Amino acid sequence: MEGAGLNALTKKKPTMPRQVTIHRKTNETDIRLKLNLDGHGKARIGTGIRFFDHMLDLVARHGAFDLFVDARGDLDVDQHHTVEDVGIALGEAVQQALGSKRGILRAGYFLMPMDETLAAAAVDLGGRPFCVVTANIAAKRVGDFQVELMEDFFQGFAQAAKANVHLRALYGRSSHHQVEAIFKAFARALRFAVSRDKRLRQVLPSTKGLL
């Protein structure tokens, strides 16, 4: 009986899944997004911008997230609203899925090589939104994607997730490789940041007591 009682006391509580569904609708976009932070890299993405779909697929795979995105925007006007609002929706999803943020690593960084290109990413989910993207990319478009909107996507994410996001393409020849390496580095940095720390399961990763 004593052994049974001890087993009952030491039995771990089941971990709650960190998943959320977001519906963001404006006069410019209608976005449905589902995110599971503890997924297996599965994705189903549809934004109307094929290269952007590919980048979001990379975020899911390299972040080990399950990600569903159905975005309908005024692409006949411009890609800007769709790209930025998807970033905002993803940031909102991360913020909500993390809940109290107790037990997470909070910050993560990654260096991502891709052939001749090297990209760096650092993410801190510390409650203070700020985004810096440094990349000297020659092409105006990669595939059907307007390259300048990459920064708008990450700015939207940082604001909604209340995160510091710093991204840089250190060097590279191919514009395609530079953009892709940045998205991959971001995904892997975010994967570390949202990961749970088993030793600090109930501890908030901040000395301020608030994130």
Side-chain angles (χ1 to χ4, degrees):
M1 293 296 294
E2 289 183 5
L6 181 61
N7 288 337
L9 289 172
T10 58
K11 187 177 181 180
K12 293 181 180 178
K13 294 181 180 179
T15 303
M16 295 296 292
R18 298 182 298 171
Q19 55 189 23
V20 66
T21 299
I22 298 290
H23 182 204
R24 176 181 174 82
K25 183 175 174 60
T26 71
N27 290 332
E28 299 160 340
T29 61
D30 187 354
I31 298 169
R32 296 180 185 274
L33 184 149
K34 185 175 181 179
L35 174 69
N36 180 1
L37 292 178
D38 304 306
H40 298 87
K42 298 177 182 178
R44 185 154 57 93
I45 313 293
T47 67
I49 309 166
R50 292 186 65 192
F51 188 82
F52 186 43
D53 292 351
H54 178 41
M55 294 302 99
L56 295 173
D57 193 22
L58 292 175
V59 169
R61 186 62 56 88
H62 287 265
F65 311 131
D66 289 342
L67 179 63
F68 165 83
V69 179
D70 179 18
R72 303 182 185 189
D74 53 358
L75 295 179
D76 56 318
V77 176
D78 191 54
Q79 295 181 1
H80 181 275
H81 299 143
T82 299
V83 173
E84 182 178 49
D85 284 7
V86 169
I88 293 170
L90 181 60
E92 290 176 350
V94 169
Q95 175 74 355
Q96 290 185 30
L98 287 174
S100 70
K101 297 184 181 179
R102 291 186 180 276
I104 66 168
L105 292 178
R106 172 180 153 171
Y109 65 91
F110 203 84
L111 281 173
M112 188 75 203
M114 186 170 180
D115 297 343
E116 86 296 343
T117 295
L118 184 66
V123 175
D124 179 18
L125 301 168
R128 298 172 63 178
F130 206 93
C131 180
V132 178
V133 179
T134 305
N136 185 19
I137 299 175
K140 299 298 183 184
R141 283 179 177 261
V142 176
D144 61 345
F145 179 65
Q146 295 172 233
V147 172
E148 68 176 7
L149 299 181
M150 177 176 66
E151 183 169 351
D152 296 277
F153 169 80
F154 289 116
Q155 289 281 2
F157 174 86
Q159 289 294 324
K162 298 181 180 179
N164 279 188
V165 178
H166 291 249
L167 305 166
R168 185 174 184 183
L170 282 78
Y171 48 78
R173 176 195 58 80
S174 166
S175 297
H176 183 133
H177 288 173
Q178 287 177 281
V179 174
E180 187 165 329
I182 285 173
F183 272 90
K184 287 178 177 178
F186 165 75
R188 289 186 173 269
L190 183 61
R191 178 177 176 176
F192 277 106
V194 304
S195 293
R196 292 183 170 111
D197 188 330
K198 293 180 180 179
R199 294 180 301 160
L200 302 172
R201 192 169 300 162
Q202 297 301 320
V203 177
L204 192 69
S206 171
T207 56
K208 293 185 294 186
L210 179 67
L211 280 180

